[in-house]
Amino acid sequence: MHRVLMSFAQRVFLIVLLACSVCLAQSTHSDSGSVKRALERQARVMFSVPAQIKVNVGEFRPSDIPGYEAVTITFDDPQNKRDLEFLVAKDRKSLMRVIQVDLTKDPYAEVMKNIDVSGRPTRGAKDAKVVAVNYVDFQCPFCSRMHAALFPTLLKEYGDRILFIYKDYPLEDIHPWALHAAVDANCLTAQNVDAYWDFADYVHANQKEFNTLKGLPAQQAALDKFAALQGKKHNLDATKLDACIKAQDDTAVRVSQKEGAQMGVSATPEMFVNGRKVDGALPIQDLRSIFDSALRDAGVAPPEHKAETADTK
């Protein structure tokens, strides 16, 4: 009996009945082509698939659920191709969406595997068992608030227990100089991580200084000037830094944006703490609770927290 239960646990199906056993448009006959057309129509309506996107219905195959066959429906969108699994009743009267969950894998660990942190600037313990990846926008006021909570306060408290990593997610539609700031910051990162963090600390703390400048060219010029100053401060190769700033190659930023979108990021800041998604600039006490919980799950004792003062709440 134990063996049977373990086998079942490793192949759990979460089955969601869509629209009360979706009727397949009177397709009770065995005409496979007609059934597939009915499935395509249902899928288009369920997921609001526009007419220009192809919907391909695969071949029916046996399933582990009595009375149902499995079928894969593909949304052939060049920008976001998706394969979704469904169950179709053998009498062709109902359709169910199927999500198969492998309980042998840690879902939080699987989330973190989808985040590429290679080459990104870090703060904190390099060998930490808890990693906090934050998607940020340099012009976002809520990112500024989050940054002020993380650094220096929470970094001092958790620095030997948590690794903090920043990734780019500029919201260009509402923050016009954010992309330029991200590129300048990455130019600094290429030579010196500390230069990146000095740039990030200043820009997040002084967003108004850049916002009050008239016109995007003036704002971008001010960012470039400050990046150059960081280059001098940290003895960077001025020629390489100047060339990087002038080139404004945003390839890496675009890759980060695409990754973030695939992770469900739509606004900033958006943080993933060992796979747990944290939306927005939370109060510092809430951040402590999230970090402490992640540490306990990782088998690490959280730090002792001193009584809050007015400026840390």
Side-chain angles (χ1 to χ4, degrees), residues 96-147:
M96 292 193 294
R97 170 74 193 284
V98 178
I99 304 173
Q100 185 174 3
V101 179
D102 186 347
L103 295 184
T104 65
K105 294 182 178 180
D106 180 348
Y108 291 138
E110 294 302 304
V111 168
M112 295 303 286
K113 287 180 181 178
N114 294 322
I115 304 177
D116 182 7
V117 297
S118 57
R120 293 307 301 165
T122 67
R123 271 178 168 170
K126 298 293 185 181
D127 59 349
K129 293 184 178 180
V130 173
V131 178
V133 180
N134 196 19
Y135 287 86
V136 298
D137 172 318
F138 279 106
Q139 197 177 350
C140 163
F142 296 102
C143 292
S144 175
R145 187 182 305 173
M146 170 77 90
H147 189 84

Side-chain angles (χ1 to χ4, degrees), residues 34-101:
S34 178
V35 173
K36 287 186 177 182
R37 286 192 293 273
L39 288 171
E40 177 190 349
R41 289 195 294 271
Q42 293 290 353
R44 284 189 181 278
V45 173
M46 288 176 195
F47 297 94
S48 300
V49 181
Q52 66 269 26
I53 301 300
K54 291 182 180 180
V55 175
N56 300 317
V57 179
E59 297 301 320
F60 300 111
R61 59 187 188 276
S63 78
D64 293 343
I65 308 301
Y68 285 85
E69 291 183 306
V71 65
T72 301
I73 299 180
T74 301
F75 299 153
D76 201 4
D77 182 351
Q79 303 300 321
N80 185 23
K81 186 175 181 179
R82 291 186 293 165
D83 292 326
L84 301 182
E85 300 301 321
F86 292 85
L87 291 177
V88 182
K90 290 184 177 180
D91 64 7
R92 302 301 188 246
K93 290 184 178 181
S94 61
L95 170 70
M96 292 193 294
R97 170 74 193 284
V98 178
I99 304 173
Q100 185 174 3
V101 179

Side-chain angles (χ1 to χ4, degrees), residues 164-222:
F164 296 94
I165 303 174
Y166 268 20
K167 297 214 65 177
D168 299 314
Y169 201 86
L171 303 171
E172 301 161 77
D173 292 342
I174 56 175
H175 298 145
W177 56 259
L179 174 62
H180 196 98
V183 173
D184 281 3
N186 288 340
C187 287
L188 293 168
T189 305
Q191 294 194 51
N192 187 287
V193 171
D194 290 336
Y196 169 91
W197 287 115
D198 283 352
F199 180 90
D201 290 341
Y202 185 86
V203 175
H204 279 300
N206 296 275
Q207 289 175 349
K208 291 182 180 180
E209 174 185 323
F210 297 98
N211 286 333
T212 54
L213 295 173
K214 293 184 178 179
L216 182 59
Q219 294 166 335
Q220 293 173 336

Side-chain angles (χ1 to χ4, degrees), residues 146-165:
M146 170 77 90
H147 189 84
L150 294 176
F151 313 117
T153 303
L154 293 180
L155 177 63
K156 289 181 179 179
E157 293 180 25
Y158 294 94
D160 61 341
R161 294 172 172 86
I162 296 179
L163 182 65
F164 296 94
I165 303 174

